[in-house]
Amino acid sequence: MDAYRNITSLRAIRHFTDQPLPPDSLRRILEAGRWTGSAKNTQPWHFIVVQDRHNLNQLAACGRYASHLRGAAVGVVIVTEPDGFGGFDAGRVSQNMMLAAWADGIGSCIATLHDQLCARTILGLPAEKAAWTAISFGYPDPDDPQTIEGQPRQQVLARLGRRDLDEIVHWEKWT
Ligand SMILES: Cc1cc2nc3c(=O)[nH]c(=O)nc-3n(C[C@H](O)[C@H](O)[C@H](O)COP(=O)(O)O)c2cc1C
Protein backbone atom coordinates (compact mmCIF):
# COMPACT_ATOMS: atom_id res chain seq x y z
CA MET A 1 0.00 0.00 0.00
CA ASP A 2 1.47 3.40 -0.92
CA ALA A 3 1.74 6.04 1.80
CA TYR A 4 -1.12 8.23 0.53
CA ARG A 5 -3.55 5.33 0.25
CA ASN A 6 -2.46 4.12 3.70
CA ILE A 7 -3.32 7.54 5.16
CA THR A 8 -6.64 8.03 3.39
CA SER A 9 -7.91 4.49 4.02
CA LEU A 10 -7.10 4.44 7.76
CA ARG A 11 -10.37 4.05 9.71
CA ALA A 12 -11.06 3.40 13.36
CA ILE A 13 -11.47 -0.37 13.93
CA ARG A 14 -13.11 -1.30 17.23
CA HIS A 15 -13.84 -5.00 16.76
CA PHE A 16 -11.10 -7.54 16.31
CA THR A 17 -10.54 -11.24 15.68
CA ASP A 18 -8.75 -13.41 18.26
CA GLN A 19 -5.66 -13.58 16.06
CA PRO A 20 -2.55 -12.40 17.92
CA LEU A 21 -0.18 -9.90 16.34
CA PRO A 22 3.05 -11.33 14.94
CA PRO A 23 5.95 -10.11 17.13
CA ASP A 24 7.51 -8.52 14.04
CA SER A 25 4.40 -6.39 13.40
CA LEU A 26 4.25 -5.27 17.03
CA ARG A 27 7.90 -4.33 16.80
CA ARG A 28 7.23 -2.29 13.62
CA ILE A 29 4.34 -0.48 15.33
CA LEU A 30 6.55 0.44 18.29
CA GLU A 31 9.41 1.48 15.97
CA ALA A 32 7.00 3.73 14.06
CA GLY A 33 6.20 5.43 17.36
CA ARG A 34 9.87 5.70 18.28
CA TRP A 35 10.73 7.43 14.99
CA THR A 36 8.17 10.20 15.51
CA GLY A 37 9.58 13.72 15.46
CA SER A 38 9.30 15.96 18.53
CA ALA A 39 10.16 19.52 19.56
CA LYS A 40 13.96 19.81 19.81
CA ASN A 41 14.00 16.03 19.36
CA THR A 42 13.24 15.59 23.05
CA GLN A 43 11.27 12.36 22.41
CA PRO A 44 9.28 12.88 25.63
CA TRP A 45 7.30 9.62 25.48
CA HIS A 46 7.14 6.08 26.75
CA PHE A 47 4.94 3.28 25.44
CA ILE A 48 3.30 0.76 27.78
CA VAL A 49 2.43 -2.43 25.89
CA VAL A 50 -0.58 -4.19 27.42
CA GLN A 51 -1.28 -7.76 26.29
CA ASP A 52 -2.59 -9.41 29.43
CA ARG A 53 -6.38 -9.78 29.01
CA HIS A 54 -7.03 -8.88 32.64
CA ASN A 55 -5.05 -5.64 32.29
CA LEU A 56 -6.79 -4.79 28.99
CA ASN A 57 -10.18 -5.28 30.64
CA GLN A 58 -9.18 -3.07 33.54
CA LEU A 59 -7.91 -0.34 31.22
CA ALA A 60 -11.13 -0.50 29.20
CA ALA A 61 -12.98 0.68 32.32
CA CYS A 62 -10.90 3.90 32.43
CA GLY A 63 -12.54 5.56 29.43
CA ARG A 64 -16.11 6.34 28.44
CA TYR A 65 -15.60 4.81 24.98
CA ALA A 66 -12.68 2.49 25.71
CA SER A 67 -14.38 -0.91 25.69
CA HIS A 68 -12.71 -1.84 22.38
CA LEU A 69 -9.56 -2.44 24.43
CA ARG A 70 -11.24 -5.59 25.78
CA GLY A 71 -11.03 -7.32 22.41
CA ALA A 72 -7.70 -5.93 21.26
CA ALA A 73 -4.76 -8.22 20.63
CA VAL A 74 -2.52 -5.51 22.06
CA GLY A 75 -3.10 -2.16 23.72
CA VAL A 76 -0.41 0.50 23.67
CA VAL A 77 -0.62 3.36 26.16
CA ILE A 78 1.16 6.56 25.15
CA VAL A 79 2.85 8.12 28.18
CA THR A 80 3.80 11.79 27.80
CA GLU A 81 4.71 14.85 29.82
CA PRO A 82 1.61 16.32 31.49
CA ASP A 83 2.14 19.88 30.21
CA GLY A 84 3.11 21.64 27.01
CA PHE A 85 3.03 19.54 23.88
CA GLY A 86 1.98 16.26 25.53
CA GLY A 87 -1.26 16.00 23.57
CA PHE A 88 0.42 16.90 20.31
CA ASP A 89 3.17 14.34 20.90
CA ALA A 90 0.65 11.64 21.75
CA GLY A 91 -1.27 12.46 18.57
CA ARG A 92 1.76 12.21 16.32
CA VAL A 93 2.98 8.98 17.92
CA SER A 94 -0.49 7.45 17.72
CA GLN A 95 -0.96 8.26 14.06
CA ASN A 96 2.46 6.85 13.15
CA MET A 97 1.76 3.63 15.04
CA MET A 98 -1.73 3.29 13.55
CA LEU A 99 -0.47 3.83 10.01
CA ALA A 100 2.35 1.31 10.48
CA ALA A 101 -0.17 -1.21 11.78
CA TRP A 102 -2.58 -0.57 8.90
CA ALA A 103 0.21 -1.15 6.39
CA ASP A 104 0.40 -4.68 7.87
CA GLY A 105 -3.40 -5.12 7.71
CA ILE A 106 -3.78 -4.48 11.45
CA GLY A 107 -6.67 -2.28 12.58
CA SER A 108 -6.58 0.14 15.49
CA CYS A 109 -8.57 2.64 17.49
CA ILE A 110 -7.74 5.28 20.06
CA ALA A 111 -9.23 5.04 23.54
CA THR A 112 -9.22 8.22 25.61
CA LEU A 113 -8.56 7.43 29.25
CA HIS A 114 -10.98 9.94 30.78
CA ASP A 115 -10.65 8.52 34.29
CA GLN A 116 -7.07 9.41 35.02
CA LEU A 117 -7.05 8.01 38.53
CA CYS A 118 -8.18 4.67 37.11
CA ALA A 119 -5.49 4.70 34.39
CA ARG A 120 -2.71 5.89 36.68
CA THR A 121 -3.50 3.23 39.26
CA ILE A 122 -3.68 0.35 36.78
CA LEU A 123 -0.53 1.42 34.96
CA GLY A 124 1.44 2.35 38.09
CA LEU A 125 2.25 5.71 36.53
CA PRO A 126 4.57 8.13 38.37
CA ALA A 127 3.11 11.56 39.28
CA GLU A 128 5.21 13.44 36.70
CA LYS A 129 3.83 11.48 33.73
CA ALA A 130 0.48 11.55 31.92
CA ALA A 131 -1.36 8.87 29.94
CA TRP A 132 -4.54 10.05 28.25
CA THR A 133 -4.32 7.84 25.19
CA ALA A 134 -4.36 4.10 24.68
CA ILE A 135 -4.55 2.44 21.27
CA SER A 136 -6.18 -0.91 20.54
CA PHE A 137 -4.50 -3.02 17.85
CA GLY A 138 -5.79 -6.20 16.26
CA TYR A 139 -6.92 -7.81 13.03
CA PRO A 140 -10.28 -6.38 11.89
CA ASP A 141 -13.32 -8.55 12.62
CA PRO A 142 -14.94 -9.29 9.22
CA ASP A 143 -18.32 -9.25 11.00
CA ASP A 144 -17.70 -5.87 12.64
CA PRO A 145 -21.08 -4.63 13.98
CA GLN A 146 -19.85 -1.03 13.52
CA THR A 147 -20.96 -0.06 17.00
CA ILE A 148 -19.42 2.01 19.77
CA GLU A 149 -20.23 0.78 23.27
CA GLY A 150 -23.06 -1.21 21.69
CA GLN A 151 -24.64 1.85 20.05
CA PRO A 152 -24.74 2.61 16.31
CA ARG A 153 -21.73 4.79 15.49
CA GLN A 154 -23.85 7.65 14.18
CA GLN A 155 -25.48 8.00 17.60
CA VAL A 156 -22.11 8.59 19.28
CA LEU A 157 -19.99 10.41 16.70
CA ALA A 158 -20.40 13.99 15.48
CA ARG A 159 -20.70 12.59 11.95
CA LEU A 160 -19.60 9.72 9.73
CA GLY A 161 -17.10 10.25 6.93
CA ARG A 162 -15.21 13.52 6.49
CA ARG A 163 -16.15 17.15 5.91
CA ASP A 164 -15.55 18.44 2.37
CA LEU A 165 -12.26 20.12 1.61
CA ASP A 166 -14.10 23.33 0.64
CA GLU A 167 -15.55 23.49 4.13
CA ILE A 168 -12.23 23.35 5.95
CA VAL A 169 -9.58 24.88 3.69
CA HIS A 170 -9.04 28.64 3.73
CA TRP A 171 -6.68 30.39 1.39
CA GLU A 172 -4.48 33.21 2.68
CA LYS A 173 -7.02 34.36 5.34
CA TRP A 174 -9.97 33.04 7.30
CA THR A 175 -12.53 34.98 5.26
C1 LIG B 1 -8.11 12.52 20.27
C2 LIG B 1 -8.96 11.33 19.89
C3 LIG B 1 -9.65 10.64 20.87
C4 LIG B 1 -10.43 9.53 20.53
N1 LIG B 1 -11.04 8.81 21.54
C5 LIG B 1 -11.76 7.71 21.21
C6 LIG B 1 -12.35 6.92 22.24
O1 LIG B 1 -12.23 7.19 23.43
N2 LIG B 1 -13.04 5.83 21.85
C7 LIG B 1 -13.23 5.49 20.53
O2 LIG B 1 -13.88 4.48 20.28
N3 LIG B 1 -12.67 6.23 19.55
C8 LIG B 1 -11.94 7.32 19.86
N4 LIG B 1 -11.35 8.04 18.86
C9 LIG B 1 -11.52 7.63 17.45
C10 LIG B 1 -12.48 8.56 16.71
O3 LIG B 1 -13.80 8.31 17.11
C11 LIG B 1 -12.28 8.34 15.21
O4 LIG B 1 -10.99 8.75 14.86
C12 LIG B 1 -13.27 9.13 14.37
O5 LIG B 1 -14.61 8.78 14.69
C13 LIG B 1 -13.04 8.88 12.87
O6 LIG B 1 -13.22 7.51 12.62
P1 LIG B 1 -13.06 6.92 11.14
O7 LIG B 1 -11.63 7.14 10.72
O8 LIG B 1 -13.40 5.46 11.26
O9 LIG B 1 -14.00 7.67 10.24
C14 LIG B 1 -10.56 9.15 19.17
C15 LIG B 1 -9.85 9.85 18.19
C16 LIG B 1 -9.06 10.92 18.53
C17 LIG B 1 -8.27 11.64 17.45
Side-chain angles (χ1 to χ4, degrees), residues 94-123:
S94 301
Q95 188 76 357
N96 278 353
M97 287 186 174
M98 293 166 80
L99 287 170
W102 191 227
D104 281 353
I106 295 164
S108 61
C109 188
I110 290 173
T112 302
L113 304 173
H114 300 97
D115 185 342
Q116 278 292 283
L117 182 61
C118 172
R120 304 188 74 86
T121 306
I122 288 164
L123 298 166

Side-chain angles (χ1 to χ4, degrees), residues 9-14 63-68 98 109-114 133 148-149 153 157-162:
S9 66
L10 181 69
R11 294 280 88 79
I13 305 289
R14 298 181 178 84
R64 289 198 285 277
Y65 302 101
S67 69
H68 52 78
M98 293 166 80
C109 188
I110 290 173
T112 302
L113 304 173
H114 300 97
T133 304
I148 300 175
E149 311 299 313
R153 283 182 311 158
L157 303 174
R159 59 176 63 77
L160 298 180
R162 295 293 187 270

Side-chain angles (χ1 to χ4, degrees), residues 81-99:
E81 303 299 311
D83 307 317
F85 290 104
F88 192 87
D89 290 329
R92 289 201 79 195
V93 164
S94 301
Q95 188 76 357
N96 278 353
M97 287 186 174
M98 293 166 80
L99 287 170

Side-chain angles (χ1 to χ4, degrees), residues 9 14 29 32 36-38 40 42 44 51-52 64 68 79 85 92 108 112 115-116 125 138 141 161 163-164 166:
S9 66
R14 298 181 178 84
I29 290 168
T36 304
S38 54
K40 294 187 177 173
T42 44
Q51 294 174 295
D52 184 287
R64 289 198 285 277
H68 52 78
V79 178
F85 290 104
R92 289 201 79 195
S108 61
T112 302
D115 185 342
Q116 278 292 283
L125 215 59
D141 179 353
R163 294 154 73 197
D164 284 342
D166 286 349

Side-chain angles (χ1 to χ4, degrees), residues 47-69:
F47 313 139
I48 302 180
V49 180
V50 184
Q51 294 174 295
D52 184 287
R53 191 59 51 200
H54 174 72
N55 293 338
L56 283 167
N57 287 340
Q58 281 199 314
L59 210 53
C62 300
R64 289 198 285 277
Y65 302 101
S67 69
H68 52 78
L69 282 164

